[in-house]
Amino acid sequence: MLSESNTPLFWTIVGLLIVYFGYIIWIGRKGKSHSNSMNGFATARGKVSPWLVGASFATSYSSANLFIGVPGLAYEYGTSVLWYTLGCFGVSWIGLLLFAKTFWRYGKKFGRISTLPEWLGKRYNSKALQVILTFLILFNIYYIVGQNAGLATIFESIIGIPYEWGIIIGVTITILYIGLGGAYAQMITDGLQGFLMAVTSVLILLSLLWTIGGGFGVFSKLTDQLNAIDPALTAAINEAGPYNSPLAIIAVQFMLFSFILMPHLLNKILSIEKEEDLKTFTFSAGFILFFISALTVIGGLAARVLYPSLTSADSAIPVYVIDSFPTIIAAIMIVGIISAILSSTDSLYLGITTSIGNDFYRVLAPLFNKNADAATLDRNSVSVAKVSLIIIGLLSLWISLERPESLSILIQFSFSAIISGILAPITLGYFWGKATNYGAIVGVISGASLYVVFTQLNVIENIYIAMFFASASSFVAMGIVSLLTANESHKELLLKKTT
């Protein structure tokens, strides 16, 4: 515990955290003026530089999963985890390049869209679909729980704060600045955090030169030392871990390609005001994502060599950083890791609560109060979103108090459930003129439901393969229902309904 064994590092980290938390709350107050409308609260469109929006995308993508969870998996299962980290940059960035422009153009065509459920609701002219997707996005609560657990693990292993109090601190700080500044505060803080996270990742890579040694042969030496511990740690496929077969690896790449469709990530595209800014946005996102995704995992591999008897694999990176760097550098890097966790957590809170306000309340409220004007409805939607932020925060806090066995697996379960539901409606909505609203609803329900059945009933134990087959089933179900319910192309049907 640092408070007992390393007082200078302890107080340096505490001091930096006080400054950091004060800074993000100040940004939250500054963003309050942009958060009075639902569109401003959800996207802050045109208010933030595309460079920062791109960096915010990368940091929201990364989260505790890439900084704590995946290095923890590398500590347990070795180099087979590189299939995941290499796909994070290569496969996911390709997905972003393919989807960003069309998604942005559709959003522009449909008006000032605030959320992914609203985008799909407009695309299929279906309020029912929009409401159903709000419930699907609630799976992100488990994503938040994983983030909370990662943050509390950092506080516990480095600063000595008990796990439960770490949860309370993280939830309170995040709710405070998101409630004040909405998307503006989230993207400004995340964008700047992204550059700090990239520097932290590069330092972890460079540290191998003095922790493992071997000069230009450092990776060969690391591989030899891992192999001496257990040959399975250097195998391309580790049968003991989640990357245990060629099919599992293919399914992982499929998941990573689809991951950019997560609601809290696609909302970043809706924050871009002009189409020409998409190039800057995608370049910034890819540049930061490369450093964060590809380099941090190496610290987990090095930790397995240096500290082979850790009680928790998720503590590999914190322990490695503390022992490998001078006090001030280690303190800055630890704050960088904490910011990595907060940067994704705030996006998730924002995504859930804006969906509750915009896609649930705003759609259903006119059914009970038909005389409400648009301005009142918009103002009430923001209020509902901010109240739900507190409720979701308290719910995630309560669930987080029981520490998950694997932070990474919990996070990947939550977003895989969402992807299984939304992948078919988004993809077929892009490329198939006969995709209908009825087909999209069946696709969402069947994909997400099958994923839960596959994983919770152990029909398919590997979460990646389960997502692959659940998503494939969603495509089939949506395709069949769309063919049965559309006598004209969806484009013509949508135009007809709109006019």
Side-chain angles (χ1 to χ4, degrees), residues 482-494:
S482 293
L483 288 173
L484 293 174
T485 56
N487 295 320
E488 53 188 326
S489 75
H490 181 67
K491 186 176 181 180
E492 293 170 348
L493 186 63
L494 180 62

Side-chain angles (χ1 to χ4, degrees), residues 209-229:
L209 295 175
W210 60 83
T211 58
I212 301 298
F216 289 110
V218 61
F219 292 112
S220 296
K221 186 174 180 180
L222 176 60
T223 302
D224 291 341
Q225 291 178 330
L226 288 169
N227 189 70
I229 296 172

Side-chain angles (χ1 to χ4, degrees), residues 49-72:
S49 163
W51 286 101
L52 286 178
V53 178
S56 174
F57 178 96
T59 54
S60 298
Y61 178 107
S62 303
S63 74
N65 186 37
L66 281 179
F67 258 83
I68 303 295
V70 175

Side-chain angles (χ1 to χ4, degrees), residues 56 65 67 89 100 163 174 196 230 320 327 352 363 380 395 409 457 464 497:
S56 174
N65 186 37
F67 258 83
F89 167 69
Y163 176 84
T174 309
L196 177 59
D230 183 354
Y320 179 82
T327 299
I352 294 174
V363 170
N380 290 344
L395 179 59
I409 295 299
L457 299 182
Y464 309 118
K497 287 183 177 180

Side-chain angles (χ1 to χ4, degrees), residues 165-440:
W165 279 104
I167 296 288
I168 294 171
I169 292 171
V171 170
T172 302
I173 292 294
T174 309
I175 287 177
L176 186 59
Y177 78 85
I178 289 298
L180 287 171
Y184 178 87
Q186 183 262 315
M187 285 187 291
I188 290 289
T189 55
D190 286 7
L192 296 175
Q193 288 162 2
F195 293 101
L196 177 59
M197 291 158 64
V199 171
T200 299
S201 301
V202 172
L203 289 175
I204 288 175
L205 173 66
L206 293 176
S207 68
L208 265 66
L209 295 175
W210 60 83
T211 58
I212 301 298
F216 289 110
V218 61
F219 292 112
S220 296
K221 186 174 180 180
L222 176 60
T223 302
D224 291 341
Q225 291 178 330
L226 288 169
N227 189 70
I229 296 172
D230 183 354
L233 292 176
T234 57
I237 295 175
N238 188 333
E239 295 182 0
Y243 316 100
N244 54 8
S245 68
L247 180 59
I249 293 169
I250 293 171
V252 167
Q253 305 312 311
F254 174 77
M255 180 199 71
L256 293 171
F257 179 82
S258 309
F259 184 66
I260 60 101
L261 301 179
M262 284 290 289
H264 70 289
L265 297 178
L266 283 181
N267 273 17
K268 304 293 188 295
I269 299 174
L270 297 175
S271 300
I272 301 298
E273 180 68 27
K274 296 180 288 186
E275 185 171 347
E276 54 266 30
D277 288 338
L278 287 173
K279 290 183 179 179
T280 303
F281 161 75
T282 52
F283 176 81
S284 174
F287 181 79
I288 299 295
L289 186 58
F290 167 75
F291 289 104
I292 295 174
S293 64
L295 304 184
T296 311
V297 67
I298 297 173
L301 297 173
R304 181 57 186 266
V305 171
L306 300 171
Y307 323 104
S309 303
L310 292 178
T311 55
S312 171
D314 287 338
S315 65
I317 284 294
V319 171
Y320 179 82
V321 167
I322 291 172
D323 283 358
S324 303
F325 292 93
T327 299
I328 186 63
I329 301 298
I332 293 172
M333 292 176 69
I334 292 300
V335 173
I337 293 171
I338 291 172
S339 73
I341 298 171
L342 289 175
S343 65
S344 188
T345 308
D346 56 20
S347 291
L348 293 164
Y349 276 124
L350 188 66
I352 294 174
T353 57
T354 54
S355 189
I356 291 172
N358 188 70
D359 305 313
F360 185 79
Y361 171 81
R362 193 169 187 167
V363 170
L364 297 180
L367 299 178
F368 303 96
N369 184 8
K370 297 183 179 180
N371 296 322
D373 59 89
T376 301
L377 192 60
D378 186 76
R379 191 165 53 250
N380 290 344
S381 298
V382 177
S383 298
V384 168
K386 291 184 177 182
V387 171
S388 69
L389 177 63
I390 298 173
I391 296 172
I392 296 297
L394 292 174
L395 179 59
S396 72
L397 188 154
W398 177 67
I399 299 174
S400 301
L401 292 176
E402 184 176 347
R403 192 194 301 262
E405 290 184 10
S406 172
L407 181 153
S408 184
I409 295 299
L410 177 64
I411 289 174
Q412 291 169 39
F413 166 81
S414 66
F415 66 65
S416 294
I418 296 174
I419 292 171
S420 297
I422 66 174
L423 182 59
I426 293 176
T427 306
L428 295 181
Y430 270 45
F431 303 114
W432 194 37
K434 293 185 178 181
T436 68
N437 52 349
Y438 300 109

Side-chain angles (χ1 to χ4, degrees), residues 103-123:
F103 186 83
W104 185 90
R105 285 178 174 174
Y106 267 117
K108 197 76 170 178
K109 176 182 178 182
F110 295 142
R112 298 184 75 82
I113 304 295
S114 299
T115 63
L116 174 63
E118 185 179 12
W119 187 95
L120 284 167
K122 296 279 189 181
R123 174 65 183 85

